[in-house]
Amino acid sequence: MSKKIFFTGAGTGLAKGAALGLAKEGHHVVASVENHPQVTSLKEAAAKANVEMEIFKMDITNPADRERMHRYDYDVFVANAAVNEGGPLGEVPMSAFRNLFEVNVFSTLETARIAAAHFVEKRSGKIIFMSSMAGVMASEYTGLYAASKHALEAIAKSMYQEMKEFNVQVATINPGPFSTGFNDRAVEEKWEWYDEEIHYTPKEKMKEKDQAMADQYDPEDMIAEMVNIIPKHSHKFRTAYPDKTAEAMREEEKDNWEKEI
């Protein structure tokens, strides 16, 4: 059955691929993107794929842009727009931390609230939060992003309960590390402010962590999983992919009960 599916942050990465993939499957896709160049790029990609999508510019941090959501009807809302940045929590500029929460938590919730009100009026619908393995896991120099996704997990769990009586579903999708460039930008960003003459975190340790993050999966596999899960009427609250990532998430949660300081 064809669904009307609304994306935020569909201009790049996994959401761009999933939006195109769902349109190919015959679903009506409303794809919002952060800026006008991404509008042009996505329109070109849709034309090349021979699919139709409604594409418009919506920076989720911009209240005027968010108001445009009210123009559309949809059955599924995919809260995907996010930013990523790494670095040691003791030294990363607090402005970067605040900006990351503004996008990944506060503005994401504001869009989800608009979708929730829309679905309550319809007495049906589904909100999917694009979380991450970082919604459960955290490690050195990834705390900014992990903290924001931990917050998003709490939002999703609460809304899952709160929206039940209105026949509105809530779920998360938790990708592992996929090579879309999103993780690479996070690795690079901290070197814009880090100065080993000033900061105490060893440069070598951060470089080692960067190397460990270089091993990433083919995004086409995750895109296919999203195309499968997003329009489904029934599925698990949390979809972690691939299986190796799901196992690592379960193991870390278990370890947190057993580790000592």
Side-chain angles (χ1 to χ4, degrees):
M1 181 179 175
S2 176
K3 296 283 183 71
K4 290 178 277 189
I5 302 168
F6 190 119
F7 280 87
T8 65
T12 59
L14 296 174
K16 181 178 182 179
L20 290 165
L22 286 161
K24 288 177 186 176
E25 292 289 318
H27 298 286
H28 180 99
V29 175
V30 180
S32 69
V33 301
E34 183 184 5
N35 53 52
H36 291 296
Q38 289 178 350
V39 171
T40 302
S41 175
L42 188 52
K43 283 183 177 179
E44 290 172 350
K48 185 176 180 180
N50 196 30
V51 296
E52 292 187 6
M53 292 194 291
E54 293 189 70
I55 302 167
F56 72 104
K57 182 255 184 188
M58 185 178 76
D59 175 351
I60 67 167
T61 67
N62 184 323
D65 280 10
R66 288 196 301 268
E67 283 298 308
R68 295 171 186 163
M69 285 183 65
H70 294 289
R71 303 175 185 175
Y72 300 93
D73 180 30
Y74 42 92
D75 306 306
V76 181
F77 176 70
V78 184
N80 167 82
V83 293
N84 194 356
E85 185 165 343
L89 288 178
E91 300 192 281
V92 69
M94 284 303 297
S95 59
F97 211 154
R98 289 189 174 96
N99 177 67
L100 195 137
F101 260 69
E102 184 58 52
V103 177
N104 294 4
V105 182
F106 306 132
S107 296
T108 293
L109 177 57
E110 291 198 78
T111 61
R113 284 161 58 106
I114 293 170
H118 175 67
F119 291 148
V120 167
E121 186 175 349
K122 293 175 66 171
R123 286 300 192 272
S124 69
K126 179 168 67 172
I127 299 169
I128 295 180
F129 291 99
M130 284 300 295
S131 184
S132 168
M133 64 189 296
V136 169
M137 304 178 72
S139 60
E140 55 190 352
Y141 317 133
T142 66
L144 285 80
Y145 184 67
S148 73
K149 290 302 183 180
H150 276 59
L152 197 65
E153 290 281 324
I155 288 168
K157 289 172 188 175
S158 296
M159 289 189 75
Y160 171 86
Q161 297 290 342
E162 294 165 358
M163 302 305 293
K164 271 184 176 180
E165 66 179 288
F166 304 107
N167 195 36
V168 179
Q169 300 170 313
V170 178
T172 71
I173 294 178
N174 299 64
F178 287 89
S179 57
T180 63
F182 184 73
N183 298 311
D184 300 327
R185 288 190 291 274
V187 165
E188 294 162 4
E189 192 69 29
K190 63 181 172 294
W191 302 117
E192 294 295 319
W193 57 262
Y194 177 82
D195 183 345
E196 57 187 327
E197 297 295 323
I198 300 171
H199 297 105
Y200 56 77
T201 303
K203 183 177 183 179
E204 295 74 19
K205 284 201 69 177
M206 289 195 290
K207 288 284 187 182
E208 286 175 15
K209 182 69 175 181
D210 291 353
Q211 288 299 317
M213 293 179 68
D215 186 17
Q216 300 180 58
Y217 301 113
D218 182 351
E220 291 303 319
D221 294 338
M222 187 70 231
I223 288 166
E225 184 71 7
M226 291 168 66
V227 170
N228 175 47
I229 288 291
I230 287 169
K232 274 189 174 181
H233 176 68
S234 180
H235 55 83
K236 298 289 187 183
F237 167 74
R238 175 183 287 157
T239 299
Y241 188 84
D243 290 342
K244 187 176 179 180
T245 292
E247 290 168 11
M249 290 167 66
R250 292 188 186 101
E251 190 62 31
E252 175 150 332
E253 288 187 301
K254 179 175 176 288
D255 288 347
N256 284 336
W257 287 98
E258 298 174 357
K259 70 172 62 170
E260 297 184 10
I261 62 169

